């Protein structure tokens, strides 16, 4: 069975929700015209920040049947709970089912097998460690693209339970981090004074909250202050990108160069020099063979000269390959910068933030600890944007509190 799985052979009786077995080959999966759009819709709702329960409620309102219904009516698997067409039970989505769909790699075209093993002595199955699963990528046609799938995995990893006060989780939950210990910044309510019963929400390093000064330092910030800083930064970059994309692209690439350990200008210069030298060696080798063929060069001479040039040629090709990889990374960086500019320029008139916008634009925010500079309290807020990372030197500097 493991051999078949590694060969990309799908052997389960029932296809995953969203797929059907190919009519030409029952061991291959193809997206199902009826249910694949439902899977894509779930991923789109997830990336907007909706939790499993909220997604289930949306699907229920839209009268979209659950997987058990589809398998039952198609004769793929019997559903004992089926109570007829139009019954409410057909639309009661389970959070566990939604979580499975929003995390399984099959939806990006991967075959995942050998997840369980049987304990014969007790007659039970157990789930193997993930590194023991068989995962074969790019076997089936994906239902969602890799970028969307990865973004949903980020969102899934950031989900937090609502606090006891039944407040929705902060839009910065799972986004804000402590730069010193790497733990999350958690947000909690406080009363600002006895005379003011209204609660104000603050963020603080989880490590500090759990262990005090032995764990970390507070990294305390008012949620509203962080909100204002992030909103302002997004709008400023969006306005600049809308006014002059090329100028912003230049600034982004300049910052990427600062953040990188590679001097791409030097890389390009070295690449041209090596390509020129390789061309010269090619001509020399061709000339040696020509002179030898025409009797102008003795065999002993070519035997002495050729290895030297061939060794140099081989070494230069290795160097050129490494430089070409670095150039490719630079090209990918520029493409990512262009993606980011195209994305953020839509938000020049942004009025308010929500978790959907945060997750679309930002991968993490590092909240520094407060310190005094020239008698004033300052705090570093470092915003890492999707595709390009940190632009601190170009716009997210120290913020005075």
């Amino acid at each position: 069975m493991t051999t078949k799985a590694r060969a990309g052979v799908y052997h389960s009786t029932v296809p995953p929700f969203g797929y059907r077995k190919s009519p030409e080959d029952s061991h291959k999966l193809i997206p199902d015209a009826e249910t694949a759009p439902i899977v894509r819709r779930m991923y789109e709702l997830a990336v907007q920040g909706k939790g499993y329960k909220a997604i289930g409620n949306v699907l229920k309102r839209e009268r979209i049947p659950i997987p058990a219904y589809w398998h039952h009516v198609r004769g793929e698997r019997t559903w004992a709970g089926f109570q007829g067409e139009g019954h409410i039970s057909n639309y009661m989505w389970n959070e566990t089912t939604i979580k499975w769909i929003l995390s399984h790699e099959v939806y990006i075209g991967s075959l995942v097998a050998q997840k369980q093993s049987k304990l014969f002595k007790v007659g039970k199955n157990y789930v193997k460690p993930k590194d023991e699963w068989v995962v074969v990528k790019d076997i089936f046609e994906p239902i969602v693209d890799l970028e969307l799938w990865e973004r949903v995995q980020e969102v899934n990893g950031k989900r937090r339970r609502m606090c006891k006060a039944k407040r929705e989780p902060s839009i910065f939950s799972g986004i804000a981090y402590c730069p010193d210990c790497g733990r999350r910044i958690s947000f909690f309510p406080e009363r600002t004074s006895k005379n003011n019963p209204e609660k104000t929400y603050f963020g603080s390093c989880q490590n500090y909250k759990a262990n005090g000064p032995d764990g970390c330092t507070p990294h305390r910030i008012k949620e509203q202050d962080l909100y204002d800083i992030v909103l302002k930064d997004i709008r400023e970059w969006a306005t600049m990108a809308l006014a002059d994309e090329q100028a912003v692209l230049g600034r982004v690439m300049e910052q990427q160069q600062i953040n990188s350990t590679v001097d791409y200008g030097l890389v390009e210069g070295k690449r041209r020099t090596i390509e020129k030298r390789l061309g010269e060696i090619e001509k020399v080798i061709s000339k040696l063979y020509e002179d030898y063929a025409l009797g102008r060069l003795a065999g002993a001479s070519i035997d002495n000269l050729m290895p030297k040039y061939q060794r140099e040629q081989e070494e230069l090709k290795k160097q050129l390959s490494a430089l070409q990889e670095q150039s490719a990374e630079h090209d990918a960086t520029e493409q990512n910068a262009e993606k980011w500019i195209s994305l953020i320029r839509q938000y020049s008139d942004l009025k308010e933030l929500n978790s959907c916008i945060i997750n679309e634009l930002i991968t993490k925010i590092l909240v520094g600890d407060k310190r005094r500079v020239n008698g004033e309290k300052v705090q570093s807020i470092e915003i890492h944007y999707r595709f390009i990372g940190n632009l601190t030197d170009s716009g997210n500097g120290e913020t005075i509190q």
Side-chain angles (χ1 to χ4, degrees):
M1 200 68 76
T2 301
T3 303
K4 288 184 177 180
R6 294 189 188 282
V9 176
Y10 184 81
H11 54 76
S12 295
T13 306
V14 182
F17 182 69
Y19 282 101
R20 299 197 81 166
K21 290 188 176 182
S22 169
E24 290 79 23
D25 184 352
S26 63
H27 296 298
K28 294 292 183 183
L29 299 177
I30 57 174
D32 175 48
E34 290 185 287
T35 57
I38 301 172
V39 172
R40 282 191 287 270
R41 173 107 168 97
M42 294 167 72
Y43 273 81
E44 289 163 359
L45 290 170
V47 86
Q48 291 172 17
K50 292 189 180 296
Y52 306 129
K53 184 175 181 180
I55 292 172
N57 289 337
V58 170
L59 299 178
K60 179 183 174 183
R61 284 198 304 271
E62 295 177 358
R63 305 283 285 182
I64 294 175
I66 62 176
Y69 167 86
W70 293 96
H71 293 315
H72 180 82
V73 298
R74 290 175 172 178
E76 295 168 340
R77 178 190 289 150
T78 301
W79 177 29
F82 183 68
Q83 299 184 51
E85 293 292 342
H87 194 273
I88 188 64
S89 61
N90 296 343
Y91 316 106
M92 301 298 290
W93 283 81
N94 185 285
E95 291 183 44
T96 302
T97 301
I98 296 171
K99 182 179 179 180
W100 186 93
I101 292 172
L102 292 178
S103 61
H104 207 290
E105 291 180 66
V106 71
Y107 296 110
I108 50 173
S110 297
L111 173 69
V112 182
Q114 303 297 300
K115 294 173 64 174
Q116 294 186 343
S117 186
K118 192 173 185 67
L119 295 172
F120 290 100
K121 290 185 177 180
V122 295
K124 292 184 179 180
N125 292 335
Y126 76 96
V127 178
K128 296 180 182 178
K130 196 167 184 178
D131 58 4
E132 294 181 16
W133 297 358
V134 175
V135 180
V136 187
K137 298 184 182 296
D138 303 321
I139 293 296
F140 313 120
E141 181 183 341
I143 289 178
V144 296
D145 62 63
L146 180 60
E147 183 180 317
L148 176 59
W149 188 87
E150 289 179 339
R151 285 176 60 190
V152 170
Q153 305 322 300
E154 287 181 22
V155 173
N156 288 345
K158 293 167 184 172
R159 298 194 191 282
R160 288 292 176 271
R161 293 185 179 273
M162 294 170 61
C163 67
K164 293 180 181 179
K166 302 297 182 184
R167 175 186 183 253
E168 287 290 336
S170 167
I171 61 172
F172 299 112
S173 291
I175 285 286
Y177 288 84
C178 169
D180 294 331
C181 70
R183 296 284 294 275
R184 286 186 172 90
I185 301 293
S186 58
F187 293 85
F188 52 91
E190 285 186 1
R191 288 179 179 169
T192 53
S193 68
K194 291 181 179 179
N195 298 326
N196 184 6
E198 290 295 321
K199 292 178 180 178
T200 301
Y201 284 81
F202 288 85
S204 185
C205 171
Q206 285 183 345
N207 197 2
Y208 176 79
K209 284 193 70 178
N211 304 303
D214 292 334
C216 195
T217 48
H219 296 267
R220 179 180 167 87
I221 188 168
K222 188 187 290 187
E223 185 184 48
Q224 186 62 49
D225 288 346
L226 183 58
Y227 181 101
D228 293 341
I229 291 164
V230 173
L231 178 62
K232 178 174 178 286
D233 199 71
I234 291 173
R235 292 189 62 175
E236 286 179 352
W237 279 110
T239 301
M240 287 189 287
L242 199 61
D244 191 339
E245 286 190 24
Q246 288 304 310
V248 174
L249 178 61
R251 291 181 64 179
V252 172
M253 292 304 294
E254 181 181 343
Q255 184 59 37
Q256 296 297 301
Q257 180 65 68
I258 292 171
N259 294 340
S260 174
T261 58
V262 178
D263 186 336
Y264 290 106
L266 187 59
V267 166
E268 188 61 21
K270 284 183 178 179
R271 187 180 65 80
R272 287 196 296 266
T273 300
I274 289 175
E275 287 176 343
K276 180 181 178 183
R277 178 57 183 160
L278 281 171
E280 293 170 350
I281 292 174
E282 190 66 38
K283 290 178 182 178
V284 170
I285 291 175
S286 296
K287 187 69 168 61
L288 287 173
Y289 277 123
E290 181 182 341
D291 288 348
Y292 174 72
L294 296 174
R296 295 196 294 257
L297 186 68
S301 298
I302 197 171
D303 287 342
N304 288 331
L305 293 170
M306 191 64 73
K308 169 192 170 185
Y309 286 112
Q310 288 177 330
R311 283 194 300 270
E312 183 182 0
Q313 185 183 49
E314 190 63 31
E315 181 57 34
L316 289 174
K317 283 182 177 178
K318 290 179 182 178
Q319 293 179 26
L320 181 61
S321 177
L323 292 171
Q324 286 171 336
E325 286 183 9
Q326 292 177 335
S327 294
E329 288 175 6
H330 180 264
D331 292 343
T333 300
E334 186 167 354
Q335 290 172 6
N336 283 335
E338 290 170 351
K339 277 186 185 179
W340 176 76
I341 290 171
S342 176
L343 182 64
I344 201 166
R345 69 196 299 270
Q346 306 169 42
Y347 291 98
S348 59
D349 293 326
L350 183 63
K351 298 296 189 295
E352 60 182 29
L353 295 174
N354 57 43
S355 58
C356 177
I357 294 170
I358 292 291
N359 281 291
E360 182 176 35
L361 294 177
I362 296 170
T363 57
K364 65 180 176 181
I365 301 170
L366 301 182
V367 179
D369 212 3
K370 291 182 180 178
R371 64 186 192 279
R372 288 194 174 274
V373 175
N374 298 324
E376 292 184 292
K377 284 185 179 179
V378 297
Q379 188 169 21
S380 172
I381 306 298
E382 191 176 290
I383 302 173
H384 288 246
Y385 285 104
R386 191 171 299 282
F387 301 123
I388 59 169
N390 165 36
L391 288 172
T392 297
D393 291 344
S394 302
N396 308 328
E398 304 291 332
T399 60
I400 298 177
Q401 302 290 323

